[in-house]
Amino acid sequence: MINASTFLLILLGILCSILLVILIVLSVKLIYTINRINQVLDEVELKISKFDKAFSLVDIVTDNMALVSDKLVDGISYLIRKVFVRKNNRKVDEENE
């Protein structure tokens, strides 16, 4: 007869063998999936690289538009400040007289 410790060792060996086979199968599937993902990413990178010049042009245009709008806002705020400062100066001068 087989005692309990021998039975457990045999059972442990069988379960470890099954686990090893499952891990090998999963590793092969994982490697296949990673290769497919790499192919897809290479294709996407190739297609995006065609738009690099367009993206850089859009970046330059938006930077220039932001610069122009900042200058325009600064000019308008300067004019408004100038008008209100003149009115305040006139009121101060009238009160002093």
Side-chain angles (χ1 to χ4, degrees), residues 1 3 12 14 16 27-28 38 41 65 68-69 73 90:
M1 277 246 53
N3 59 11
L12 184 63
I14 291 171
C16 285
S27 298
V28 169
N38 281 337
L41 287 177
M65 287 177 62
V68 167
S69 67
V73 167
R90 287 180 194 163

Side-chain angles (χ1 to χ4, degrees), residues 28-41:
V28 169
K29 286 187 176 189
L30 182 65
I31 290 171
Y32 177 71
T33 303
I34 288 175
N35 286 336
R36 287 184 55 197
I37 289 172
N38 281 337
Q39 288 175 354
V40 169
L41 287 177

Side-chain angles (χ1 to χ4, degrees), residues 24-89:
I24 290 171
V25 168
L26 287 176
S27 298
V28 169
K29 286 187 176 189
L30 182 65
I31 290 171
Y32 177 71
T33 303
I34 288 175
N35 286 336
R36 287 184 55 197
I37 289 172
N38 281 337
Q39 288 175 354
V40 169
L41 287 177
D42 288 341
E43 290 176 7
V44 168
E45 185 178 330
L46 178 67
K47 290 181 181 182
I48 287 178
S49 67
K50 293 179 181 178
F51 292 111
D52 280 344
K53 291 181 182 178
F55 289 145
S56 65
L57 179 66
V58 168
D59 185 42
I60 290 169
V61 168
T62 55
D63 288 345
N64 288 333
M65 287 177 62
L67 180 66
V68 167
S69 67
D70 287 344
K71 294 292 183 180
L72 186 64
V73 167
D74 287 342
I76 292 172
S77 64
Y78 174 76
L79 291 175
I80 291 173
R81 194 175 328 122
K82 199 72 162 169
V83 167
F84 286 117
V85 168
R86 286 183 186 169
K87 286 184 180 180
N88 288 336
N89 285 340

